Amino acid sequence: QVQLVESGGGLVQPGGSLRLSCAASGIIFSIYTMAWYRQAPGKQRELVAGITGGRPNYADSVKGRFTISRDNAKNTVSLQMNSLKLEDTAVYYCNARGPNFLGSNYWGQGTQVTVSS
């Protein structure tokens, strides 16, 4: 059974920092592309950051502020979020996408991040 369990969300003031973590089980973690998505009220879910192997990619809106990292030994992926803005408020989801031959795609339950003064 595949599980992606997020943690680390919460309430933070503008300019503050949060670190999200996602612990994966039930998959061969090292072969999966791991990513963080977010969905704000009334908006579509959007990609925030992804990492395949050691190569990260970021949405333009978070470049220079967010850092994604993975630990294949611990089956975890993290998102360090600095200089948070009001518009970063959303539910953040961990995503695991397998290679094409597997055709697998998994989601965590989401964790709320609220940036408010």
Side-chain angles (χ1 to χ4, degrees):
Q1 182 181 1
V2 177
Q3 282 193 312
L4 300 177
V5 180
E6 300 110 332
S7 60
L11 173 65
V12 64
Q13 292 186 338
S17 298
L18 279 176
R19 184 176 181 87
L20 305 183
S21 293
C22 172
S25 59
I27 60 173
I28 303 173
F29 184 81
S30 60
I31 68 172
Y32 275 70
T33 294
M34 299 302 297
W36 288 94
Y37 287 73
R38 68 186 180 188
Q39 188 167 19
K43 295 188 176 182
Q44 288 189 332
R45 191 172 296 189
E46 63 175 357
L47 176 66
V48 176
I51 185 165
T52 301
R55 296 169 295 171
N57 62 281
Y58 300 96
D60 287 343
S61 59
V62 306
K63 280 181 182 176
R65 300 188 299 121
F66 290 10
T67 302
I68 188 171
S69 60
R70 65 188 295 162
D71 186 335
N72 288 344
K74 295 181 179 180
N75 287 8
T76 58
V77 60
S78 298
L79 185 69
Q80 177 65 42
M81 305 185 294
N82 298 328
S83 302
L84 283 160
K85 303 177 179 179
L86 296 175
E87 54 264 40
D88 294 319
T89 295
V91 178
Y92 284 69
Y93 296 91
C94 179
N95 174 261
R97 180 168 54 84
N100 290 339
F101 72 89
L102 284 179
S104 53
N105 192 44
Y106 302 106
W107 294 92
Q109 80 284 357
T111 185
Q112 177 70 47
V113 171
T114 302
V115 184
S116 175
S117 54

